[in-house]
Amino acid sequence: MSFPGPTGASDNRGMDQSREITVEVPRAWDRPIVTMPVLVFLSLVGGQLPSFSTRANLYTISLGGAMIWLGLSNRLPRRPTVTPGRGTIWWLIPVAVFGVFEGSTFLLGSTPEFPTFSKLADPLLEDELVRSAVYLGWLSAFWGLVRR
Amino acid sequence: MSLMRALAIGGFVVAIALFCAVEVAARREGSKIPRLGDVCAYVMRYEVGRLPVGRIGVFGLWWWMGWHFLAR
């Protein structure tokens, strides 16, 4: 919630009113005890839908679309952000290792002998419980990104 | 299992282990390494004019990953 200043006050016009310092009133439903069961329920439903099916496509596209709409519409309060320092460079190591293997397996045709990550994951994701768990991870991370 | 398949699996396992290791290091007290969420949040702050290019890009990438792994 932001409080407007007194009418005609002009002594702080030059201040940067960034959204990072805006205090939001927490909503009653905006707590893990409410949101997590909803995400678990959506994940269990998603885990029942088989790969390559129209229902799975529509469900994933709809959920992702709803998350993006929430994330772009400024309807939810966002966590304050920090500017990362030079330590960010450490993240390049896992990204580079993953990129080298994903890129090389993709360029060589993603064969059973040298498969991409998604080809390796496909047999694991055929199990409904594993699909639901991955769905929960995907949705939870999406929810976290929306709040950023 | 052929040598090439073992190499691919090993490479992805190492990459995932490295992601976990850097995140654990970032969560230590006084760490100079930012958490992955902080890096994502920083990227999401990028705007061109009033267009939130960073948010659109990160959301779009995550949306595509979910669709790629869970719908097809």
Side-chain angles (χ1 to χ4, degrees), chain B residues 4-26:
Chain B
M4 291 296 279
R5 186 174 173 84
L7 180 68
I9 293 172
F12 288 124
V13 168
V14 167
I16 291 168
L18 284 170
F19 273 108
C20 296
V22 177
E23 181 66 20
V24 168

Side-chain angles (χ1 to χ4, degrees), chain A residues 114-132:
Chain A
F114 201 48
T116 54
F117 185 72
S118 57
K119 196 156 194 150
L120 279 172
D122 278 345
L124 300 175
L125 290 171
E126 284 175 9
D127 183 80
E128 290 177 357
L129 196 60
V130 175
R131 283 178 72 80
S132 293

Side-chain angles (χ1 to χ4, degrees), chain A residues 74-92:
Chain A
N74 295 324
R75 286 172 182 272
L76 296 172
R78 293 179 189 166
R79 294 172 60 183
T81 57
V82 295
T83 301
R86 297 173 69 87
T88 309
I89 203 164
W90 284 96
W91 283 107
L92 293 180

Side-chain angles (χ1 to χ4, degrees), chain B residues 27-47:
Chain B
R27 286 173 182 264
R28 288 189 324 185
E29 190 75 27
S31 176
K32 296 261 194 291
I33 305 171
R35 296 181 183 186
L36 184 58
D38 292 329
V39 177
C40 290
Y42 182 69
V43 172
M44 288 165 69
R45 274 163 46 184
Y46 182 70
E47 294 182 345

